[in-house]
């Protein structure tokens, strides 16, 4: 009964030429939707403080990949990117990185805002047998919940301990924002 009276009252106000609308009837601003690959650009963080320490053989180091919102709208990222490392050597093939146990959070990106994520890497010594080395060439990076990827050239050189079949490898990725 109340909604019928409210509807009739609003119709009478509009018919009278008054644009008054009760606050309860105002439309709320829509929340931002997720970022799509076309909304973003991506790359490796290459500053001196962002470069992996390749000389830390037997100890993990990190590389960082960023996403910047290039669209005219605000959007969100939540979860893990998909990352496939493509090797420079014929036997390397492609290595799909596993996810860490960290819990993702939602990141809101306005136009021009950037969020990144880290990849934990396990470098190897020069003395490690070649069959145990993975030499990265390119990374296929897919934003969370997307199917189209960016192809990024690996800018750091070096080699990673090949553990593409390991249950708990020393090379893995973290969620966006971590």
């Amino acid at each position: 009964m109340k909604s019928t009276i409210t509807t009739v009252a609003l119709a009478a106000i509009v018919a009278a030429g008054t644009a008054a609308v009760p606050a309860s009837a105002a439309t709320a601003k829509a929340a931002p939707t997720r970022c799509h690959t076309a909304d973003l650009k991506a790359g490796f963080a290459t500053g001196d403080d962002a470069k992996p320490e390749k000389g830390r053989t037997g100890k993990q180091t990190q590389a960082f990949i960023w996403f910047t919102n290039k669209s005219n709208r605000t959007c969100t990222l939540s979860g893990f990117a998909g990352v496939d490392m493509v090797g420079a050597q014929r036997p390397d093939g492609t290595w799909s990185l596993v996810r860490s146990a960290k819990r993702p959070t939602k990141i809101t990106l306005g136009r021009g805002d950037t969020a990144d994520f880290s990849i934990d890497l396990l470098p190897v010594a020069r003395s490690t047998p070649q069959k145990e080395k993975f030499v990265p060439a390119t990374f296929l990076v897919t934003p969370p919940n997307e199917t189209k990827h960016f192809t990024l050239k690996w800018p750091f050189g070096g080699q990673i301990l090949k553990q593409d079949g390991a249950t708990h490898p020393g090379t893995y990725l973290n969620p966006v924002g971590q």
Side-chain angles (χ1 to χ4, degrees):
M1 179 77 167
K2 184 178 179 183
S3 64
T4 304
I5 293 171
T6 304
T7 305
V8 171
L10 283 174
I13 292 170
V14 172
T18 307
V21 177
S24 61
T27 306
K29 184 177 179 182
T33 58
R34 72 180 169 87
C35 300
H36 298 284
T37 305
D39 297 325
L40 304 167
K41 56 185 177 178
F44 279 100
T46 56
D48 286 337
D49 60 338
K51 291 179 183 176
E53 297 178 45
K54 296 177 287 184
R56 294 181 62 174
T57 58
K59 295 183 181 177
Q60 287 176 308
T61 186
Q62 291 183 319
F64 295 86
I65 296 176
W66 50 262
F67 293 117
T68 298
N69 180 1
K70 67 177 187 172
S71 73
N72 291 324
R73 68 182 188 87
T74 298
C75 61
T76 62
L77 288 172
S78 180
F80 290 84
V83 177
D84 293 330
M85 293 191 305
V86 179
Q89 307 173 112
R90 182 179 294 184
D92 287 341
T94 300
W95 178 358
S96 296
L97 297 185
V98 298
R99 299 172 173 183
S100 73
K102 293 182 180 178
R103 298 190 67 79
T105 58
K106 185 183 276 189
I107 308 291
T108 300
L109 298 177
R111 181 178 185 188
D113 288 346
T114 299
D116 65 4
F117 66 94
S118 61
I119 299 173
D120 285 44
L121 305 164
L122 190 55
V124 295
R126 289 182 191 215
S127 60
T128 303
Q130 192 60 38
K131 68 180 181 177
E132 295 176 24
K133 295 178 181 179
F134 185 93
V135 181
T138 57
F139 280 55
L140 307 178
V141 180
T142 308
N145 304 306
E146 286 292 296
T147 57
K148 293 185 176 148
H149 67 264
F150 296 98
T151 301
L152 305 177
K153 185 176 179 349
W154 175 247
F156 304 115
Q159 301 164 343
I160 300 167
L161 183 61
K162 189 170 186 170
Q163 297 180 308
D164 54 343
T167 305
H168 298 287
T171 298
Y172 54 87
L173 63 112
N174 294 300
V176 174
Q178 298 179 34

